Amino acid sequence: MAREIIVSPGGKLQGSIRIPGDKSISHRAIMLGAIADGMTDISGFLEAEDTLATLTAFEAMGVKIKRTGKGEVSIYGTGLYGLKAPEAPLYLGNSGTSMRLLSGLLAGQSFDVELSGDRSLSTRPMQRVTDPLGLMGAKIECDVDGTPPIRIYGNQKLTGMTYDLPVASAQVKSALLLAGLYAEGETCINEKGILRDHTERMLEGFDYKINYGQTPDGHRSASLIGGGRLKAQSIVVPGDISSAAFFIVGACIAEGSDLILENVGINPTRDGVIRILKLMGADIQVLRQYQAGGEPVADLHIKYTPLNGITIPEEFVPLAIDEFPAIFIAAAFAEGTTLLRGAAEMRVKESDRIKVMQEGLSTLGVDAEALPDGMIIRGGERDHLIQGGTVDSQGDHRIAMAFAMAGLRAKGKIQIHDCANIDTSFPGFVMLAKEAGLNISEQT
Ligand code: S3P
């Protein structure tokens, strides 16, 4: 865990680069491909630690998966009931998406299974999935404090239900829809806020019927009826907007930047970072829009322009939930104050992202005040650049990459500790950042 990144001041982001595949979509492609009838081919698959944890878990459950080239994966689906009991607990590393979605998918199997994770994942809340799965008839438990490991007991009869999500979590929604495939009757999930809808879109791609609706109080809902079949398909995974976010912010803050990011997923349930930065005055153009694998994709063209602080509209929070570490860096260089509220979920991500970002920003001399559910950042005057210094990412990949981008405009060197987990979502980040114009190096 000793990997460190060092960014020297100066530089601007230029040229045209391609961001690795979307993490959320890559996880789902493996999961649905594994339980489909027939062979699913994936291209653009993200070969990162988190998504490979999902892939390895399905191999351990008897699914034949061939990696045929870079980002090319073929999955020989076993059908809904063809998974086999793994010989050991499934170890999912740092990946909350693997653990929560698998909890739902495995609640309806005929075998017992245990899910475990690394130090960070072992502290994350799991009752948000185990409680509602219990209501569907699953026999599933986590530790007394609501954290992993999760134990799932097989051969339970699941029944569909209508469930109002108490937290704005696409992982919980997805877990329940996946359990719903194995349940009798209809499973209907009423959202809280607008949540990413990759599971529903991909299920439709596998020819599984999803019904969309709205609750009387205006929340979106998605439902399905259990017991159907998934028909194998070919999936093209777009570039991950959450990974693109670091480069978007980098180009927004570094004078003279002019950058194109090719083939980025711009699903409207994920594009909060673009909406928020545009409200701050950013020059981001969405070019060459097209559809791939049921998802909207585009090239993004970002040019440097000075930013202003804003109050971030709360309805944008779930649309940008993973992007706030990067957005905070943009806010530090914006003129005026940026206020974020309604983002308490940030405290239960791979780290407590409100606390860790506030500490890092303060170390670099930025006026950042943590709130229970957000942050106030009082941005510098345009000629008041943030200081160099040493920050600790506390093993959180997105915090490490966000602070790396801050180096473009800092007064001195920024050294970032504990960066190994960048590989959970973005292997090759340092090389790509260097290619785009960052003065970045790493040491282990
Ligand atoms: C994800 C949903 C989000 C996000 C995570 C990936 C997904 O988590 O933070 O990185 O793939 O469904 P929550 O659903 O817990 O907000």
Side-chain angles (χ1 to χ4, degrees):
M1 294 301 272
R3 187 171 158 201
E4 282 193 358
I5 282 182
I6 299 146
V7 184
S8 304
K12 54 187 168 191
L13 300 188
Q14 280 178 311
S16 189
I17 58 172
R18 199 172 267 250
I19 298 293
D22 188 278
K23 182 153 79 73
S24 291
I25 297 174
S26 295
H27 280 298
R28 286 156 172 85
I30 297 286
M31 292 180 190
L32 298 189
I35 58 168
D37 295 320
M39 190 168 88
T40 291
D41 289 312
I42 312 172
S43 61
F45 176 74
L46 172 68
E47 292 171 344
E49 285 173 5
D50 276 13
T51 42
L52 291 173
T54 292
L55 187 151
T56 308
F58 280 93
E59 284 180 331
M61 292 187 284
V63 182
K64 187 172 156 198
I65 303 178
K66 268 197 197 157
R67 292 170 67 185
T68 48
K70 196 173 179 308
E72 307 280 327
V73 179
S74 298
I75 308 173
Y76 296 76
T78 63
L80 223 48
Y81 300 99
L83 298 179
K84 296 198 172 63
E87 279 170 13
L90 299 175
Y91 177 72
L92 302 168
N94 195 246
S95 179
T97 308
S98 308
M99 185 165 287
R100 297 207 178 103
L101 270 59
L102 278 178
S103 296
L105 195 151
L106 297 178
Q109 306 297 330
S110 58
F111 50 83
D112 299 350
V113 57
E114 183 173 318
L115 310 177
S116 66
D118 71 2
R119 203 152 53 101
S120 153
L121 184 53
S122 297
T123 65
R124 296 184 64 187
M126 292 297 150
Q127 275 167 325
R128 52 181 60 198
V129 285
T130 56
D131 284 352
L133 286 169
L135 295 175
M136 293 175 78
K139 196 165 170 225
I140 180 165
E141 56 195 36
C142 46
D143 266 9
V144 276
D145 60 351
T147 59
I150 291 181
R151 280 170 221 87
I152 304 168
Y153 300 92
N155 286 316
Q156 310 299 317
K157 182 177 173 311
L158 303 187
T159 310
M161 66 169 178
T162 296
Y163 187 69
D164 294 336
L165 287 177
V167 279
S169 168
Q171 292 181 351
V172 178
K173 173 179 67 165
S174 300
L176 300 177
L177 288 173
L178 293 175
L181 297 172
Y182 294 88
E184 197 174 287
E186 189 184 37
T187 299
C188 177
I189 310 302
N190 297 329
E191 295 190 350
K192 186 178 182 207
I194 294 178
L195 303 177
R196 66 189 69 190
D197 59 4
H198 304 303
T199 305
E200 297 92 303
R201 284 175 187 256
M202 199 180 286
L203 279 166
E204 289 183 306
F206 278 89
D207 234 7
Y208 208 98
K209 175 93 179 118
I210 304 289
N211 291 308
Y212 297 95
Q214 215 172 31
T215 63
D217 51 353
H219 293 296
R220 303 187 336 157
S221 71
S223 64
L224 56 77
I225 293 173
R229 303 176 87 88
L230 279 68
K231 209 168 97 199
Q233 61 157 336
S234 292
I235 300 174
V236 180
V237 181
D240 196 327
I241 191 166
S242 298
S243 299
F246 306 108
F247 288 88
I248 298 174
V249 164
C252 283
I253 62 172
E255 215 164 330
S257 293
D258 186 340
L259 182 70
I260 290 183
L261 305 176
E262 297 165 20
N263 297 310
V264 179
I266 52 156
N267 182 317
T269 62
R270 291 280 302 281
D271 67 354
V273 63
I274 298 177
R275 299 191 207 199
I276 292 167
L277 289 170
K278 277 189 166 177
L279 281 181
M280 296 173 80
D283 180 352
I284 304 172
Q285 285 182 57
V286 177
L287 308 173
R288 212 173 59 84
Q289 272 199 58
Y290 63 100
Q291 289 280 124
E295 296 277 346
V297 186
D299 292 348
L300 302 178
H301 186 184
I302 308 105
K303 286 190 204 151
Y304 166 78
T305 191
L307 302 178
N308 299 306
I310 58 164
T311 295
I312 297 173
E314 277 197 32
E315 66 269 22
F316 287 179
V317 169
L319 312 181
I321 192 64
D322 289 336
E323 284 66 78
F324 287 112
I327 291 168
F328 289 166
I329 298 299
F333 293 107
E335 198 165 295
T337 299
T338 295
L339 170 66
L340 172 70
R341 300 301 304 259
E345 275 295 300
M346 285 181 68
R347 292 200 179 270
V348 290
K349 295 292 178 191
E350 286 84 328
S351 70
D352 177 343
R353 287 184 174 158
I354 293 177
K355 178 173 176 283
V356 180
M357 282 303 299
Q358 192 278 334
E359 286 169 1
L361 286 167
S362 297
T363 304
L364 300 179
V366 177
D367 183 349
E369 185 184 330
L371 303 172
D373 63 342
M375 188 92 90
I376 303 173
I377 296 175
R378 298 179 185 89
E381 299 296 311
R382 278 185 195 137
D383 56 354
H384 169 85
L385 304 184
I386 71 177
Q387 311 294 317
T390 300
V391 294
D392 191 341
S393 76
Q394 303 209 8
D396 188 321
H397 54 138
R398 301 205 194 279
I399 290 183
M401 290 185 275
F403 279 117
M405 287 299 162
L408 283 162
R409 278 275 301 267
K411 264 184 187 163
K413 253 186 201 165
I414 295 185
Q415 190 158 354
I416 308 154
H417 285 325
D418 203 358
C419 294
N421 278 339
I422 287 178
D423 289 350
T424 62
S425 68
F426 201 154
F429 168 77
V430 169
M431 230 161 65
L432 198 61
K434 197 181 277 182
E435 188 187 316
L438 210 69
N439 297 320
I440 187 169
S441 62
E442 62 184 318
Q443 60 194 34
T444 41

